[in-house]
Amino acid sequence: MSRLFGSVRARATLGATLVVAVALVAAGTAVLLSLRSNLIGEAGTQAERSARAVASELAARTPYDRLSGLDGDDRPVQIVDEDGHLVAASEDLERVTGTATTDVTPRSPRPDDDDSDDSDDDSDDSGDESDDGSLAPGEIAGEITFSNGSATVDGDTEDYRFAAVEVETGDRGRLTVHAGAPLAAEHSAVRTALTVMLIGFPLLFGVVAGVTWLVTGRALRPVEGIRSEMAAITASEDLARRVPEPATHDEIARLARTTNETLAALEASVERQRRFVADASHELRSPIASLRTQLEVAAAHPALLDLDGAVEDTVRLQHLAADLLLLARLDAGERPADARVDLSALAREEAAGRTGVTVDAEAAEVNGSRGQLARVLANLLDNARRHARERVTVTVRREGGWAVLGVADDGEGVAEADRERIFERFVRLDAARSRDDGGAGLGLAIARDVAVRHGGTLTASAAPAGGALFELRLPLAR
């Protein structure tokens, strides 16, 4: 079960079904309540109409035994006096609840209740009622009181909506008419609607779940293809393979393209690391072999020891190891320090003691590692010194939000086709960059990596006076 609901497809299906279920249940409940309210309101209107009809006859002094609402009607009607006693009721009324009284048998009229006395009493009451603002003789109250109850008429028991109307009669005082309208239609309609919902909703839930399952499966099919291909790539360690890209323009197609771009970058990185290891091994082999040969010769013939050559090979090996270590740290993503460095002061410090180097610098502070930036400038100066005929110029200026450090020489320059290749590791363009004079070909690669780590760039171009111009651009310190 946990594995099933761990699937995106299953979770999407369950989520869609739950959302539809909640929406349908809420809508169904609202429909049922609205339907019930409308039907109860309609029953109340019918009950009010019946009550007012009887009240109109009472206002016209119609005797109880001649009231049309009490004779042969299957709807319950009660007439109650001011004391709450039942004075008249519809025929065949056997039981009633929800009205002012549960009596179904009218009380017998008192012997002294004659018309003349009632007329005199009504005349007196009329004067009193006009004084206190109550109903006048023959007037029907406008206010209706509704209630729900049940009644048994001629052996049939049903639920009813009752309406109570007061009427002031001239001969019998104030009476209240209770008339009911059956709620059978309301109950039947609500039961029918509820039955339809109980049957239809589960079927609709099943349809929603099935459609969502199919649509989600179809949408996620390319994801499964990407996953299986990635699993195959992981198992085979073949980074040249690529995942299939759907012929669509949705998120899954973008995921596939991004995955292939990541695989391409990973393949290039792995290949670069392989070349780096191979080139490093090759570069390390020469000074180590030379140093070993000199030591073996010295061991057999001490007089033939080339001490200067051994020291030179040792220093070269030390520099190469330091370069490889720095490159490894840069490849590992080591962040530079966040110190403030004045490039003009740094340029003067690195140029001091170097022959043929002139500095023209204005103050420009950047954030970064002073040691790494000094290494960049030293590598650029060493490279320029090897190719310059007589002069190397260092400039520092500010351009907008950038600090620009330029190192130019008056040598032969770098061909435009090689201006990017020279920043690759272990690249030497000509004999002037031989293993003895030009080092291992790591200086410019290190310089560019450091520039990138500091948020800047390092480019090669032609100097205005001929030769090569290397420009380091770094964002000015905030």
Side-chain angles (χ1 to χ4, degrees), residues 9 13-14 16-17 203-216:
R9 187 180 188 184
T13 301
L14 178 61
T17 305
L203 295 177
L204 187 57
F205 296 159
V207 171
V208 170
V211 171
T212 305
W213 180 266
L214 294 176
V215 172
T216 306

Side-chain angles (χ1 to χ4, degrees), residues 81-99:
D81 62 13
E82 292 180 289
D83 297 328
H85 299 135
L86 181 68
V87 296
S90 57
E91 295 182 0
D92 301 326
L93 179 61
E94 301 173 5
R95 186 186 65 85
V96 66
T97 61
T99 60

Side-chain angles (χ1 to χ4, degrees), residues 179-460:
L183 294 174
E186 178 263 336
H187 293 332
S188 176
V190 170
R191 281 195 299 269
T192 301
L194 184 59
T195 301
V196 170
M197 291 179 183
L198 291 178
I199 295 175
F201 282 6
L203 295 177
L204 187 57
F205 296 159
V207 171
V208 170
V211 171
T212 305
W213 180 266
L214 294 176
V215 172
T216 306
R218 184 179 181 85
L220 293 178
R221 191 176 303 156
V223 177
E224 177 59 25
I226 295 173
R227 187 208 61 78
S228 60
E229 185 63 23
M230 287 296 294
I233 292 173
T234 302
S236 64
E237 297 184 357
D238 183 6
L239 296 178
R241 299 175 61 172
R242 297 292 181 266
V243 301
E245 294 187 15
T248 57
H249 301 284
D250 55 10
E251 291 82 355
I252 297 178
R254 291 196 293 271
L255 171 64
R257 286 192 290 272
T258 303
T259 302
N260 284 335
E261 291 171 1
T262 302
L263 288 173
L266 183 60
E267 180 185 15
S269 176
V270 171
E271 182 61 28
R272 186 168 59 252
Q273 291 296 328
R274 288 174 179 169
R275 290 199 311 268
F276 177 74
V277 172
D279 292 340
S281 300
H282 177 72
E283 294 295 333
L284 287 170
R285 186 181 300 117
S286 297
I288 291 176
S290 175
L291 184 60
R292 177 179 178 179
T293 300
Q294 295 181 57
L295 292 177
E296 288 177 348
V297 170
H301 307 282
L304 298 178
L305 174 62
D306 184 5
L307 187 58
D308 293 337
V311 171
E312 183 179 347
D313 285 339
T314 303
V315 171
R316 182 166 172 268
L317 187 60
Q318 181 182 8
H319 289 167
L320 181 58
D323 288 343
L324 294 176
L325 178 61
L326 178 56
L327 283 174
R329 288 182 2 226
L330 293 174
D331 288 341
E334 178 181 298
R335 296 178 61 86
D338 195 20
R340 297 176 73 92
V341 180
D342 186 356
L343 289 184
S344 62
L346 187 63
R348 292 187 178 91
E349 291 177 10
E350 291 298 322
R354 296 175 184 264
T355 59
V357 179
T358 59
V359 178
D360 179 14
E362 62 175 296
E365 289 189 338
V366 298
N367 291 324
S369 168
R370 183 179 181 83
Q372 291 185 9
L373 293 177
R375 182 66 175 275
V376 171
L377 186 52
N379 289 353
L380 294 178
L381 289 173
D382 290 342
N383 178 77
R385 187 65 263 173
R386 282 195 298 269
H387 296 84
R389 294 188 178 93
E390 297 179 356
R391 187 175 64 257
V392 174
T393 304
V394 180
T395 59
V396 178
R397 67 183 186 279
R398 304 207 292 185
E399 289 185 0
W402 296 88
V404 182
L405 184 148
V407 178
D409 61 65
D410 58 354
E412 296 181 357
V414 181
E416 186 173 356
D418 295 327
R419 288 176 184 172
E420 280 298 314
R421 199 165 70 89
I422 58 175
F423 292 106
E424 297 178 7
R425 298 174 183 182
F426 300 106
V427 169
R428 289 178 293 272
L429 295 182
D430 49 35
R433 300 188 177 197
S434 65
R435 192 169 281 109
D436 294 332
D437 293 335
L442 293 177
L444 294 179
I446 291 174
R448 170 165 279 188
D449 283 354
V450 171
V452 172
R453 294 293 178 186
H454 282 73
T457 60
L458 178 62
T459 58

Side-chain angles (χ1 to χ4, degrees), residues 95-99 147-151 158-162 181 183:
R95 186 186 65 85
V96 66
T97 61
T99 60
S147 62
N148 292 334
S150 63
E158 292 185 23
D159 292 330
Y160 287 87
R161 179 72 167 173
F162 288 99
L183 294 174

Side-chain angles (χ1 to χ4, degrees), residues 25-41:
V25 169
T29 302
V31 168
L32 289 177
L33 292 176
S34 177
L35 178 63
R36 183 174 182 273
S37 176
N38 290 336
L39 292 176
I40 289 178

